[in-house]
């Protein structure tokens, strides 16, 4: 059955439910019905995710949950603009190949020893994924990794062929040839008495026959040795190929896993983080900006480092073995060093092809650094930030992270990609005057229109509309009352179980859809049991990025799988333990440094407020 037929059949049940909308039901039931319909369409992907996200625009007004103006206003909020601004900066970085220059430079620093090569690719991929999309990072890093591994394998084969040629030359040398029997034949007179046969001739003939027998036996022995050596060579070649394929699997997985892990470190690193930020602002409008770029980074970056280190160790054990000295190149043989040098030259050649940094790259790098600095210093938490001092007045936040992102993105459209010059442009036709040639900008709208994921903007809006509809209809309050018995369970156990649930669910469903569906419910539960909402919303949001087991779980997994080295069982085997490790690390983080950063031991006053006017 092809994909189209499967999608058609999987969409049959959701379409039937959509055609029997409840009439005369309470607003809570109507809102719950819309959520169930959207959840089914998101899980089956019967329609594109963004198309399903538009359902509230039609269903909420028709069911009396929210009016059209209030519903539509949810689709372009502050969080959406933060996403757009971050993506615009990421597009500029990609356009001018700044990300590739950073990647190759780090790999040259780290080196090409097996364990360090694995670590180098993981560090580069995770760092880039913090700022640009996971998909774009994986799509760039996988070909680079493949080129390096191919060079390692080709170098090893060439060295082996060279060794075989030397061995053959040694075998053909006179000193190494089969010892020949020298027989002196002396012809004796034939006129012996009584006509008897010459005994000397018989002895010579017998010696010649023995020599031929010895020569044949030795030839047969050499043939057997040659066949044995040939079989051994084939076995060694098969072992080298198997080792190469195993390393390719490990490298492919390390890149796609690092892209998902790196995305959790920053607020704009992956879409679920922005969903959580938007849901917090929507459901708890008086939260005093508890989740911003700086606070998110302070909590998630150490979590990312720990999870990345554990992933590196696990993938190293799985695909490189437990001989750590060998993996780090300790006591490497000369041929191994020669092979690594050739691989290093491949990376160096790719880096040289980029040439010196252009004016455009320097401008993009400066603006990127400016963006990060402005994000960190806007409201660092331990001291007043520049926005608090200059713009935010009367406990009202005028300038947000979205303001900074869009400001730097606008600079990308204003700054020239080349140094201004007064050289005149040559006329195309005779008689025309020469005109000044204005330099192009760092970013143009044509490039933005091609690379901007507008579907994610709509998907974010659909999630915010669902959260607002749940609040306005009273569904959140109803869910909270039903979940009150959970108050008797220890909070740490609740967080652990919910993280496992979300990590399992996100293997089959988009991580954005997962967080969009779960977070409003989790917020209602936290309010009902008098638990700080961040204690369960924050770890569950990070768990939504732990999609390591299936190729269809995330685009980075699909890209790595498309290169043909991996099987589903390879990804499932390595991803299963990594999922468990990820949930444990996140649970550790929320119960250690996160507990004190966000004061999770108390139920905050802002958690009692709602989004209603």
């Amino acid at each position: 059955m092809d994909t189209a037929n499967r999608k058609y059949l999987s969409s049959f049940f959701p379409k039937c439910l959509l055609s029997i909308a409840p009439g005369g039901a309470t607003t809570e039931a109507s809102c719950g019905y819309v959520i169930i319909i959207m959840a089914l369409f998101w899980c089956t992907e019967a329609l594109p995710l963004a198309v399903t996200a538009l359902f509230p625009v039609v269903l909420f007004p028709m069911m009396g949950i929210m009016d059209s103006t209030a519903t539509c206003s949810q689709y372009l909020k502050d969080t959406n603009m933060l996403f757009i601004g971050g993506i615009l900066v990421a597009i500029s970085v990609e356009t001018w190949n700044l990300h590739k220059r950073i990647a190759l430079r780090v790999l040259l620093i780290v080196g090409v020893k097996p364990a360090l090569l694995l670590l180098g690719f993981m560090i580069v991929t995770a760092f880039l994924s913090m700022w640009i999309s996971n998909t774009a990072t994986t799509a760039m890093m996988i070909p680079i990794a493949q080129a390096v591994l191919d060079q390692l394998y080709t170098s090893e084969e060439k060295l082996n062929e060279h060794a075989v040629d030397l061995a053959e030359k040694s075998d053909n040398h006179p000193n190494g040839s089969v010892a020949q029997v020298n027989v002196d034949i002396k012809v004796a007179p034939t006129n012996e008495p009584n006509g008897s046969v010459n005994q000397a001739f018989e002895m010579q003939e017998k010696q010649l026959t023995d020599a031929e027998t010895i020569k044949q036996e030795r030839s047969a022995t050499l043939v057997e040795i040659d066949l044995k050596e040939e079989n051994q060579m084939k076995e060694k070649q098969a072992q080298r190929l198997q080792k190469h394929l195993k390393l390719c699997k490990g490298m492919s997985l390390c890149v796609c896993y690092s892209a998902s892990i790196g995305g959790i470190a920053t607020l704009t690193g992956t879409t679920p983080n922005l969903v959580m930020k938007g849901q917090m602002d929507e459901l708890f409008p008086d939260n005093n900006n508890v989740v911003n770029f700086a606070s998110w980074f302070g909590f998630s970056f150490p979590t990312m480092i720990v999870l990345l280190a554990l992933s590196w160790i696990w993938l190293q054990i799985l695909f490189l073995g437990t001989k750590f000295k060998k993996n780090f190149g300790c006591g490497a043989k000369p041929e191994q060093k020669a092979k690594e040098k050739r691989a290093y030259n491949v990376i160096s050649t790719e880096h040289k092809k980029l040439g010196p940094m252009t004016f455009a790259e320097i401008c993009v790098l400066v603006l990127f650094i400016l963006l990060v600095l402005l994000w960190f210093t806007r409201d660092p938490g331990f001291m007043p930030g520049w926005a608090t001092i200059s713009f935010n007045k009367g406990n009202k936040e005028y300038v947000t992270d979205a303001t900074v992102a869009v400001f730097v993105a606008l600079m990308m459209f204003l700054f020239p990609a080349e140094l201004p010059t007064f050289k005149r442009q040559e006329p195309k036709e005779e008689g025309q005057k020469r005109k000044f040639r204005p330099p192009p900008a760092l970013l143009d709208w044509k490039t933005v229109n091609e690379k901007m994921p507008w579907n994610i903007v709509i998907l974010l809006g659909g999630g915010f509309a669902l959260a607002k509809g749940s609040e306005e209809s009273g569904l959140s309050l109803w869910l909270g009352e039903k979940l009150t018995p959970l108050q008797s369970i220890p909070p740490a156990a609740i967080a652990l179980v919910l993280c496992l649930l979300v990590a399992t669910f996100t293997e089959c469903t988009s991580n954005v859809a997962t967080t969009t569906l779960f977070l409003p419910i989790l917020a209602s539960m936290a309010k009902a049991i008098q638990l700080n909402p961040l204690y369960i919303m924050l770890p569950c949001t990070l768990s939504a990025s732990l999609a390591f087991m299936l190729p269809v779980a995330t685009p980075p997994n699909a890209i790595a799988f498309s290169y043909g080295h991996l099987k589903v069982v390879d990804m499932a085997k390595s991803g299963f333990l990594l999922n468990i490790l990820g949930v444990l690390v996140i649970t550790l983080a929320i119960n250690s440094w996160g507990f004190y950063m966000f004061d999770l031991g108390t139920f905050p006053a802002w958690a009692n407020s709602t989004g209603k006017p």
Side-chain angles (χ1 to χ4, degrees), residues 1 3-15 44 46:
M1 186 183 293
T3 306
N5 289 333
R6 282 199 301 270
K7 282 195 173 184
Y8 178 78
L9 290 176
S10 64
S11 67
F12 181 74
F13 181 60
K15 288 174 182 176
T44 59

Side-chain angles (χ1 to χ4, degrees), residues 243-484:
K243 183 182 176 182
H244 171 69
L245 292 176
K246 203 171 183 181
L247 188 57
C248 286
K249 289 180 181 180
M251 193 64 73
S252 299
L253 288 174
C254 90
V255 171
C256 66
Y257 288 169
S258 301
S260 297
I261 294 170
I264 71 175
T266 59
L267 188 57
T268 56
T270 186
T271 314
N273 304 354
L274 292 169
V275 172
M276 192 263 182
K277 164 68 174 171
Q279 298 279 20
M280 280 291 297
D281 293 341
E282 184 63 44
L283 299 172
F284 308 106
D286 300 326
N287 64 60
N288 301 320
N289 195 34
V290 65
V291 176
N292 56 37
F293 190 89
S295 64
W296 183 283
F297 187 85
F299 170 74
S300 298
F301 184 73
T303 308
M304 185 268 285
I305 293 295
V306 175
L307 185 53
L308 196 69
L310 291 175
S311 305
W312 173 57
I313 295 170
W314 169 235
L315 291 175
Q316 189 181 165
I317 292 171
L318 203 60
F319 295 102
L320 296 181
T322 54
K323 296 179 180 178
F324 295 107
K325 286 186 177 180
K326 183 179 178 182
N327 295 342
F328 282 93
C330 298
K333 296 179 180 179
E335 55 266 22
Q336 179 68 22
K337 291 182 179 179
K339 181 177 70 172
E340 291 173 357
K341 187 176 181 180
R342 285 190 176 93
Y344 183 87
N345 290 337
V346 171
I347 302 175
S348 180
T349 303
E350 288 294 320
H351 186 263
K352 288 177 181 177
K353 285 180 183 177
L354 296 175
M357 285 191 73
T358 61
F359 178 75
E361 285 180 87
I362 295 171
C363 287
V364 171
L365 180 62
V366 170
L367 288 174
F368 175 75
I369 294 172
L370 176 65
L371 172 66
V372 176
L373 290 176
L374 290 176
W375 266 340
F376 274 113
T377 57
R378 183 187 68 83
D379 186 13
F382 58 88
M383 59 177 286
W386 58 266
T388 307
I389 297 171
S390 304
F391 300 100
N392 300 340
K393 299 175 183 178
N395 294 326
K396 189 172 182 180
E397 194 175 44
Y398 287 92
V399 173
T400 65
D401 288 332
T403 312
V404 176
V406 174
F407 167 73
V408 175
L410 289 175
M411 293 297 102
M412 297 288 184
F413 287 97
L414 296 174
F415 271 62
E418 300 173 2
L419 281 171
T421 178
F422 291 99
K423 292 182 179 179
R424 294 177 180 269
Q425 187 178 16
E426 293 298 328
K428 294 182 180 179
E429 297 179 2
E430 293 184 2
Q432 289 184 344
K433 293 183 178 180
R434 291 186 297 178
K435 300 179 180 179
F436 286 108
R437 181 177 62 86
L442 292 173
L443 193 60
D444 59 83
W445 188 252
K446 182 181 178 182
T447 305
V448 171
N449 206 30
E450 291 173 355
K451 296 186 177 182
M452 174 66 72
W454 298 109
N455 58 324
I456 301 297
V457 178
I458 298 174
L459 190 57
L460 283 171
F464 301 150
L466 278 183
K468 187 69 174 178
S470 300
E471 196 71 40
E472 292 290 334
S473 66
L475 179 63
S476 296
L477 183 62
W478 180 84
L479 281 173
E481 292 173 354
K482 299 300 178 184
L483 295 170
T484 304

Side-chain angles (χ1 to χ4, degrees), residues 153-187:
Y153 180 67
T154 305
S155 300
E156 192 169 2
E157 287 297 302
K158 286 182 178 178
L159 287 171
N160 183 64
E161 289 175 4
H162 181 63
V164 171
D165 292 340
L166 289 177
E168 288 179 354
K169 288 179 181 179
S170 176
D171 289 340
N172 294 329
H173 195 271
N175 294 332
S177 60
V178 180
Q180 298 180 1
V181 180
N182 297 321
V183 182
D184 294 330
I185 301 176
K186 296 182 178 179
V187 181

Side-chain angles (χ1 to χ4, degrees), residues 586-602:
I586 291 170
T587 306
L588 171 67
I590 201 66
N591 287 289
S592 52
W593 61 86
F595 195 87
Y596 297 101
M597 277 185 63
F598 298 105
D599 193 18
L600 300 178
T602 60

